[in-house]
Structures are given as C-alpha cells and as structure tokens.
Amino acid sequence: MERFRWWHIPDVLPIEAELFTVDAWTAAMFWSELAAGHYYRAALDGDTLVGYAGLALSDDEAWVNNIAVAGAHQRRGIGAALLRDLLDHAVDNGVGTALLEVATDNGPAQAMYEAFGFDGIAVRRNYYAATGKDALIMRARLGR
C-alpha cells in the first residue's frame, strides 16, 4: 500500500466504472480530493493498482469518502487492509468517530464495515442520484 498520487487517477477510473457504473467518480473528483489534502491510499499488486480508499478528516470525525477494490481482486483482504489504514490514520490524528455511506444493497461491504465496528445509524434516500439507490450511513467509534 502506498500514498495515492495524481498519477494513479487514470488507473482508478476503470475500477470506478466497473464497480459504480453511472455513479462512478470522474478524474476531476479525484483531483479535487487530492487538492483538498484528503488522505488517500492505493493498493498495488506489483505495478497494477487494484484498490484505493480515501478519508476526509475534521476536528472530531472522519469520513470514508470511498473505498474500492477491482472485482478480480476482491475477497483477498485488500478492502479490509485499506479500511484499517484509513481508520489508523484517523486515530493517529485524534479523531474518535468515523462515518461512511454505503449502498443499502451492498451487503458484502456492510459486513466488512460491521467487522470494523461500524453500525448503521440512518438512511439517505436517493443518495446515488444516477440510480436513485439509497445509502446507509454507518458510524464507528474509534480508539486504541
């Protein structure tokens, strides 16, 4: 795992398209995240980017902005490693709460988040504008 840099952006776009189809982030959205100084990580298999994740910190909470692993590389612990890295970064920066949104129909992702102590706290109706899907807001209390 390494720091996500601008040169990774072209490599994440096919993963975005594969996993999120019409709700995929654009290159400009990733550029904006990096310009804002958010914490982003890239998971590599050799020289191939296979996953990525991003976190935004505020004074008292962290938001997992995105986490994705290419379909051919899922179920190998990459998503969990990325999430652990993000949460460790939040704790290292004194943040006590992490939040995220996940599609209500994405059971595997929800199960992974629950394994890290996240609980569903609310639903955002029609959160994914292109598809009209709802998002479950999940929260975890952090600390060592």
Side-chain angles (χ1 to χ4, degrees), residues 49-137:
L49 188 138
V50 297
Y52 52 93
L55 184 76
L57 296 176
S58 69
D59 291 337
D60 58 351
E61 62 187 27
W63 275 92
V64 176
N65 289 340
N66 51 31
I67 185 166
V69 177
H73 296 273
Q74 291 179 358
R75 308 255 189 264
R76 297 182 187 174
I78 297 168
L82 285 163
L83 183 57
R84 170 54 47 217
D85 186 294
L86 298 183
L87 299 179
D88 286 348
H89 180 75
V91 170
D92 290 347
N93 282 276
V95 174
T97 302
L99 296 129
L100 58 82
E101 288 122 346
V102 60
T104 55
D105 63 354
N106 191 343
Q110 291 175 36
M112 180 182 75
Y113 298 138
E114 288 169 356
F116 280 84
F118 282 87
D119 293 308
I121 59 169
V123 173
R124 290 189 198 272
R125 300 282 177 216
N126 301 310
Y127 179 75
Y128 300 99
T131 60
K133 288 184 182 181
D134 297 339
L136 176 64
I137 301 170

Side-chain angles (χ1 to χ4, degrees), residues 17-34:
E18 171 193 4
L19 300 179
F20 306 114
T21 61
V22 296
D23 287 313
W25 279 25
T26 64
M29 294 167 91
F30 283 102
W31 275 103
S32 179
E33 289 292 295
L34 295 177

